[in-house]
Amino acid sequence: MLRCNITKDATMTSRRVLEGRRAIVTGSTSGIGLGIARSLAEAGAAIVLNSHTDTDEDHALARGLADEFGVDVTYRSADMSDGQAARALIEGAGGCDILVNNAGVQHVAAIEEFPVERWNAILAINLSSAFHTCAAALPAMKAAGWGRIINVASAHGLTASPYKAAYVAAKHGLVGLTKTVALEVAGQGITCNAICPGYVLTPLVESQIPDQMRQHNMDRDTVIREVMLARQPSRQFVTVEQLGGVAVFLCSEAAAQITGTTISVDGGWTAL
Ligand code: NAD
């Protein structure tokens, strides 16, 4: 009986390993950012959700998460295309123990036709925002002697596809930034790593399926398997829960010496 209680207590404690930590997750009102925020909240971390909008739904999402996981959750609007706003997000929240740079956008076009404003926006949101948030977050992490920075890059941070010049350049840049930050803070209790997902079934990806079905005259399952997941050997989407689990692991003591590296979660894409 006693043994049973000890096991149960240990399980409950291990589920709340991040109690007392505060996490800021950029671009976290949907998809991967929200999935990671949910996993960190389930592990007991207080959460700051972010996006560039400021709607009732954004604040309701924060209240919902707080109720569901019994942790403090606030919503802070900040446009990650604006470096000053990115820094203000961190400073306004009073710093953080865990920083997840997740906000990202995409545009697909041949390089000669790639709109300059889309190039600039993708570089700003997917790459430069992480430079600004890291710079703003590191002083408090250094003072505390503990910190976790997780950059949500992509399989496209390690390999390329045609027509995604800005996205591939930004994600490769984010992997380089990850390594540099890791080296600058090595030995100070702070790690910096990049998660590189393959295709994840987020609302963004889901919304492309009907178009692809029409374009290829295929049913949903065939379009997913033969078109969308053609480069993902498992032929299965990555889930946001799986990415959340990797983020929680990177925040754990077991991952304290994992730094400056990339963790591919891509069903084998980058093994090809
Ligand atoms: P999503 O569109 O579902 O979510 C993006 C989030 O970023 C939303 O909350 C959105 O409001 C926010 N956002 C957009 N522009 C912003 C801005 N200017 N400032 C602040 N927030 C902003 O997308 P997702 O699929 O969840 O992608 C999240 C991250 O994961 C991105 O960095 C993306 O590149 C990366 N990623 C996605 C996939 C995939 O298959 N979905 C694969 C690899 C990497």
Side-chain angles (χ1 to χ4, degrees):
M1 188 63 195
L2 178 63
R3 198 184 296 160
C4 259
N5 283 342
I6 288 167
T7 309
K8 193 177 168 203
D9 282 355
T11 311
M12 287 177 70
T13 312
S14 70
R15 280 213 209 103
R16 306 288 289 186
V17 282
L18 298 180
E19 218 156 73
R21 306 290 188 197
R22 178 170 41 199
I24 299 180
V25 186
T26 70
S28 47
T29 53
S30 84
I32 295 169
L34 180 56
I36 290 177
R38 288 179 59 82
S39 293
L40 296 174
E42 189 177 22
I47 304 291
V48 177
L49 295 176
N50 155 262
S51 182
H52 54 308
T53 53
D54 196 4
T55 64
D56 289 346
E57 289 79 42
D58 295 329
H59 294 275
L61 184 66
R63 285 194 297 276
L65 238 66
D67 289 347
E68 187 175 350
F69 296 110
V71 293
D72 186 49
V73 184
T74 53
Y75 176 80
R76 283 181 169 266
S77 174
D79 186 342
M80 289 301 111
S81 67
D82 173 350
Q84 286 312 312
R87 286 175 188 254
L89 169 69
I90 309 298
E91 287 155 5
C96 57
D97 307 291
I98 300 162
L99 169 63
V100 182
N101 289 306
N102 168 79
V105 291
Q106 173 67 286
H107 187 83
V108 180
I111 194 146
E112 312 93 293
E113 284 132 35
F114 212 98
V116 174
E117 65 276 14
R118 292 316 300 156
W119 170 273
N120 288 338
I122 291 172
L123 268 287
I125 297 167
N126 298 21
L127 174 59
S128 299
S129 69
F131 158 70
H132 292 291
T133 55
C134 286
L138 278 171
M141 289 182 179
K142 285 181 179 174
W146 197 93
R148 293 287 184 270
I149 299 174
I150 299 170
N151 295 323
V152 179
S154 166
H156 282 116
L158 304 167
T159 184
S161 293
Y163 314 120
K164 296 185 176 177
Y167 189 84
V168 170
K171 295 296 187 182
H172 275 68
L174 189 57
V175 169
L177 177 69
T178 301
K179 294 178 185 176
T180 306
V181 170
L183 292 179
E184 290 189 18
V185 297
Q188 298 183 58
I190 305 166
T191 67
C192 180
N193 292 290
I195 300 177
C196 294
Y199 261 105
V200 190
L201 192 53
T202 61
L204 191 78
V205 172
E206 180 71 54
S207 69
Q208 297 167 20
I209 295 176
D211 269 354
Q212 297 272 15
M213 287 167 62
R214 268 191 300 277
Q215 218 174 317
H216 295 277
N217 195 23
M218 289 174 175
D219 63 25
R220 180 185 162 88
D221 287 348
T222 313
V223 120
I224 288 174
R225 199 176 54 250
E226 304 300 333
V227 180
M228 305 191 89
L229 297 178
R231 292 180 69 184
Q232 202 148 301
S234 67
R235 294 289 199 270
Q236 291 165 347
F237 282 114
V238 176
T239 68
V240 298
E241 290 78 12
Q242 288 162 352
L243 296 171
V246 173
V248 171
F249 166 68
L250 284 172
C251 295
S252 74
E253 186 51 34
Q257 291 300 320
I258 298 176
T259 194
T261 195
T262 56
I263 298 192
S264 289
V265 188
D266 64 5
W269 179 339
T270 46
L272 281 172

